[in-house]
Amino acid sequence: MKFISLCLLLSLGLVASSTAMAQSTNSVYIDQSGDNSSINITQFGLGNSLNTDSNHAIFNGNNQSVTISQIGNQNSTNVTLTGTGTSLTNNITGGFNTTNITCGTGGASATGSCNDSVLTANATGSNNALSINRTSKNTSTILLNGNYNSASITSTTDNLLGSTATINATGSSNVVSINQSGPAGANGHSADVEITGSSNVIGVTQSGSSDSLVKISSSGSNNNITVHSGN
């Protein structure tokens, strides 16, 4: 019995030690192919990660400029980028923030087009979730200042001039989403959501073959705003 108890205690100790090490280690896993890329990654703190050992962050394409900064503890970023001229700036300051950026398509091989997308996903605070999923020639910006916010931009608009989407939220527990689809018109869809306050829920959906322009400026808390624009 003593021997069995000792083995059990040792096993539990090893598990606890491994868990503590995983939570305190900063990690970066990258697969990169392509030309003229400039990649700068900064991590200060404990337990920050750029993807995982089994699922690497992938940067494919030409003339990319990628800057990722995670300052704080337990922040994670998952990136897949492709295309010509793609640019990404992702600056996170705080703890337990998650960032998911796709841009192109193709899963682990990341062979899909990303074209001239310029992506920004910045947050100051803790427990924020940022998501930008682009599969065409688009521009996206997410800026969060506060805690427990969720912001997402998804676009499949294939207009030659692209589409633009910006989320700028100051406060806590806000949920904001922008979804853009369809060919749009001469200039592409444009959405700009700016929030000052907490516990707001705002959803914008743009679609169709004509340009859609949506601008929302909200100051206050506990507001619920839904906009559908299309033809």
mmCIF file of all heavy atoms in Angstrom, residues 137-159:
data_model
loop_
_atom_site.group_PDB
_atom_site.id
_atom_site.type_symbol
_atom_site.label_atom_id
_atom_site.label_comp_id
_atom_site.label_asym_id
_atom_site.label_seq_id
_atom_site.Cartn_x
_atom_site.Cartn_y
_atom_site.Cartn_z
ATOM 1 N N LYS A 137 -10.442 40.099 -51.136
ATOM 2 C CA LYS A 137 -9.619 41.314 -51.077
ATOM 3 C C LYS A 137 -10.270 42.347 -50.169
ATOM 4 O O LYS A 137 -11.075 43.158 -50.614
ATOM 5 C CB LYS A 137 -9.470 41.861 -52.498
ATOM 6 C CG LYS A 137 -8.430 42.943 -52.658
ATOM 7 C CD LYS A 137 -8.272 43.255 -54.133
ATOM 8 C CE LYS A 137 -7.183 44.277 -54.358
ATOM 9 N NZ LYS A 137 -6.967 44.548 -55.789
ATOM 10 N N ASN A 138 -9.936 42.314 -48.886
ATOM 11 C CA ASN A 138 -10.641 43.123 -47.908
ATOM 12 C C ASN A 138 -9.714 43.796 -46.913
ATOM 13 O O ASN A 138 -8.547 43.439 -46.787
ATOM 14 C CB ASN A 138 -11.635 42.251 -47.131
ATOM 15 C CG ASN A 138 -12.654 41.600 -48.031
ATOM 16 O OD1 ASN A 138 -13.427 42.257 -48.700
ATOM 17 N ND2 ASN A 138 -12.634 40.272 -48.073
ATOM 18 N N THR A 139 -10.286 44.751 -46.190
ATOM 19 C CA THR A 139 -9.567 45.432 -45.126
ATOM 20 C C THR A 139 -10.371 45.316 -43.836
ATOM 21 O O THR A 139 -11.579 45.550 -43.847
ATOM 22 C CB THR A 139 -9.363 46.923 -45.458
ATOM 23 O OG1 THR A 139 -8.623 47.036 -46.667
ATOM 24 C CG2 THR A 139 -8.606 47.634 -44.340
ATOM 25 N N SER A 140 -9.743 44.971 -42.730
ATOM 26 C CA SER A 140 -10.460 44.788 -41.467
ATOM 27 C C SER A 140 -9.672 45.400 -40.313
ATOM 28 O O SER A 140 -8.440 45.361 -40.297
ATOM 29 C CB SER A 140 -10.674 43.294 -41.172
ATOM 30 O OG SER A 140 -11.489 42.700 -42.139
ATOM 31 N N THR A 141 -10.413 45.935 -39.336
ATOM 32 C CA THR A 141 -9.784 46.497 -38.145
ATOM 33 C C THR A 141 -10.640 46.189 -36.928
ATOM 34 O O THR A 141 -11.846 46.434 -36.932
ATOM 35 C CB THR A 141 -9.633 48.029 -38.258
ATOM 36 O OG1 THR A 141 -8.847 48.350 -39.403
ATOM 37 C CG2 THR A 141 -8.963 48.596 -37.023
ATOM 38 N N ILE A 142 -10.018 45.633 -35.878
ATOM 39 C CA ILE A 142 -10.676 45.455 -34.589
ATOM 40 C C ILE A 142 -9.803 46.106 -33.521
ATOM 41 O O ILE A 142 -8.613 45.796 -33.413
ATOM 42 C CB ILE A 142 -10.893 43.969 -34.241
ATOM 43 C CG1 ILE A 142 -11.888 43.335 -35.209
ATOM 44 C CG2 ILE A 142 -11.396 43.825 -32.801
ATOM 45 C CD1 ILE A 142 -12.120 41.853 -34.943
ATOM 46 N N LEU A 143 -10.416 47.009 -32.749
ATOM 47 C CA LEU A 143 -9.736 47.679 -31.641
ATOM 48 C C LEU A 143 -10.616 47.548 -30.400
ATOM 49 O O LEU A 143 -11.743 48.040 -30.378
ATOM 50 C CB LEU A 143 -9.512 49.162 -31.965
ATOM 51 C CG LEU A 143 -8.757 49.494 -33.258
ATOM 52 C CD1 LEU A 143 -8.788 50.993 -33.517
ATOM 53 C CD2 LEU A 143 -7.320 49.006 -33.167
ATOM 54 N N LEU A 144 -10.103 46.885 -29.372
ATOM 55 C CA LEU A 144 -10.862 46.683 -28.137
ATOM 56 C C LEU A 144 -10.097 47.254 -26.955
ATOM 57 O O LEU A 144 -8.889 47.085 -26.851
ATOM 58 C CB LEU A 144 -11.126 45.195 -27.893
ATOM 59 C CG LEU A 144 -11.906 44.432 -28.968
ATOM 60 C CD1 LEU A 144 -12.053 42.969 -28.566
ATOM 61 C CD2 LEU A 144 -13.271 45.053 -29.209
ATOM 62 N N ASN A 145 -10.829 47.911 -26.078
ATOM 63 C CA ASN A 145 -10.243 48.436 -24.848
ATOM 64 C C ASN A 145 -11.213 48.122 -23.712
ATOM 65 O O ASN A 145 -12.237 48.786 -23.548
ATOM 66 C CB ASN A 145 -10.019 49.946 -24.963
ATOM 67 C CG ASN A 145 -9.186 50.492 -23.816
ATOM 68 O OD1 ASN A 145 -9.013 49.841 -22.795
ATOM 69 N ND2 ASN A 145 -8.665 51.695 -23.980
ATOM 70 N N GLY A 146 -10.901 47.084 -22.943
ATOM 71 C CA GLY A 146 -11.786 46.647 -21.878
ATOM 72 C C GLY A 146 -11.674 45.151 -21.680
ATOM 73 O O GLY A 146 -10.739 44.510 -22.168
ATOM 74 N N ASN A 147 -12.646 44.572 -20.996
ATOM 75 C CA ASN A 147 -12.594 43.156 -20.638
ATOM 76 C C ASN A 147 -13.843 42.410 -21.129
ATOM 77 O O ASN A 147 -14.924 42.985 -21.233
ATOM 78 C CB ASN A 147 -12.481 43.004 -19.118
ATOM 79 C CG ASN A 147 -11.301 43.771 -18.538
ATOM 80 O OD1 ASN A 147 -10.199 43.734 -19.075
ATOM 81 N ND2 ASN A 147 -11.534 44.491 -17.447
ATOM 82 N N TYR A 148 -13.654 41.129 -21.410
ATOM 83 C CA TYR A 148 -14.758 40.226 -21.763
ATOM 84 C C TYR A 148 -15.547 40.701 -22.986
ATOM 85 O O TYR A 148 -16.753 40.498 -23.080
ATOM 86 C CB TYR A 148 -15.707 40.048 -20.568
ATOM 87 C CG TYR A 148 -15.074 39.355 -19.394
ATOM 88 C CD1 TYR A 148 -14.588 40.096 -18.323
ATOM 89 C CD2 TYR A 148 -14.936 37.971 -19.363
ATOM 90 C CE1 TYR A 148 -13.991 39.474 -17.232
ATOM 91 C CE2 TYR A 148 -14.342 37.330 -18.284
ATOM 92 C CZ TYR A 148 -13.866 38.086 -17.220
ATOM 93 O OH TYR A 148 -13.267 37.466 -16.151
ATOM 94 N N ASN A 149 -14.870 41.321 -23.934
ATOM 95 C CA ASN A 149 -15.511 41.706 -25.188
ATOM 96 C C ASN A 149 -15.312 40.621 -26.248
ATOM 97 O O ASN A 149 -14.315 39.902 -26.244
ATOM 98 C CB ASN A 149 -14.925 43.022 -25.705
ATOM 99 C CG ASN A 149 -15.190 44.185 -24.780
ATOM 100 O OD1 ASN A 149 -16.333 44.597 -24.597
ATOM 101 N ND2 ASN A 149 -14.133 44.713 -24.167
ATOM 102 N N SER A 150 -16.272 40.522 -27.158
ATOM 103 C CA SER A 150 -16.173 39.602 -28.287
ATOM 104 C C SER A 150 -16.444 40.379 -29.567
ATOM 105 O O SER A 150 -17.493 41.022 -29.703
ATOM 106 C CB SER A 150 -17.188 38.464 -28.139
ATOM 107 O OG SER A 150 -17.190 37.633 -29.294
ATOM 108 N N ALA A 151 -15.499 40.335 -30.513
ATOM 109 C CA ALA A 151 -15.638 41.073 -31.768
ATOM 110 C C ALA A 151 -15.231 40.182 -32.936
ATOM 111 O O ALA A 151 -14.171 39.560 -32.906
ATOM 112 C CB ALA A 151 -14.784 42.337 -31.745
ATOM 113 N N SER A 152 -16.075 40.131 -33.966
ATOM 114 C CA SER A 152 -15.774 39.276 -35.117
ATOM 115 C C SER A 152 -16.129 39.966 -36.423
ATOM 116 O O SER A 152 -17.140 40.676 -36.516
ATOM 117 C CB SER A 152 -16.535 37.950 -35.023
ATOM 118 O OG SER A 152 -17.931 38.158 -35.102
ATOM 119 N N ILE A 153 -15.278 39.778 -37.429
ATOM 120 C CA ILE A 153 -15.507 40.287 -38.782
ATOM 121 C C ILE A 153 -15.335 39.121 -39.750
ATOM 122 O O ILE A 153 -14.298 38.459 -39.771
ATOM 123 C CB ILE A 153 -14.519 41.411 -39.142
ATOM 124 C CG1 ILE A 153 -14.727 42.624 -38.234
ATOM 125 C CG2 ILE A 153 -14.680 41.816 -40.606
ATOM 126 C CD1 ILE A 153 -13.675 43.710 -38.418
ATOM 127 N N THR A 154 -16.369 38.877 -40.563
ATOM 128 C CA THR A 154 -16.314 37.823 -41.566
ATOM 129 C C THR A 154 -16.749 38.410 -42.908
ATOM 130 O O THR A 154 -17.790 39.073 -42.984
ATOM 131 C CB THR A 154 -17.252 36.649 -41.201
ATOM 132 O OG1 THR A 154 -16.872 36.113 -39.948
ATOM 133 C CG2 THR A 154 -17.171 35.559 -42.263
ATOM 134 N N SER A 155 -15.974 38.171 -43.956
ATOM 135 C CA SER A 155 -16.321 38.710 -45.268
ATOM 136 C C SER A 155 -15.920 37.761 -46.379
ATOM 137 O O SER A 155 -14.829 37.194 -46.364
ATOM 138 C CB SER A 155 -15.650 40.065 -45.501
ATOM 139 O OG SER A 155 -15.987 40.558 -46.781
ATOM 140 N N THR A 156 -16.825 37.598 -47.344
ATOM 141 C CA THR A 156 -16.524 36.854 -48.566
ATOM 142 C C THR A 156 -16.732 37.736 -49.790
ATOM 143 O O THR A 156 -16.814 37.242 -50.908
ATOM 144 C CB THR A 156 -17.414 35.601 -48.667
ATOM 145 O OG1 THR A 156 -18.796 35.992 -48.622
ATOM 146 C CG2 THR A 156 -17.130 34.640 -47.526
ATOM 147 N N THR A 157 -16.836 39.039 -49.590
ATOM 148 C CA THR A 157 -17.057 39.977 -50.699
ATOM 149 C C THR A 157 -15.872 39.964 -51.654
ATOM 150 O O THR A 157 -14.727 40.094 -51.241
ATOM 151 C CB THR A 157 -17.261 41.406 -50.162
ATOM 152 O OG1 THR A 157 -18.367 41.399 -49.262
ATOM 153 C CG2 THR A 157 -17.535 42.373 -51.290
ATOM 154 N N ASP A 158 -16.164 39.809 -52.961
ATOM 155 C CA ASP A 158 -15.084 39.681 -53.942
ATOM 156 C C ASP A 158 -14.954 40.904 -54.839
ATOM 157 O O ASP A 158 -14.410 40.832 -55.936
ATOM 158 C CB ASP A 158 -15.279 38.421 -54.791
ATOM 159 C CG ASP A 158 -16.663 38.367 -55.436
ATOM 160 O OD1 ASP A 158 -17.410 39.370 -55.341
ATOM 161 O OD2 ASP A 158 -16.990 37.321 -56.031
ATOM 162 N N ASN A 159 -15.463 42.045 -54.409
ATOM 163 C CA ASN A 159 -15.297 43.286 -55.152
ATOM 164 C C ASN A 159 -13.812 43.594 -55.343
ATOM 165 O O ASN A 159 -13.007 43.387 -54.439
ATOM 166 C CB ASN A 159 -15.983 44.432 -54.382
ATOM 167 C CG ASN A 159 -15.966 45.740 -55.133
ATOM 168 O OD1 ASN A 159 -14.922 46.370 -55.249
ATOM 169 N ND2 ASN A 159 -17.120 46.152 -55.628
#
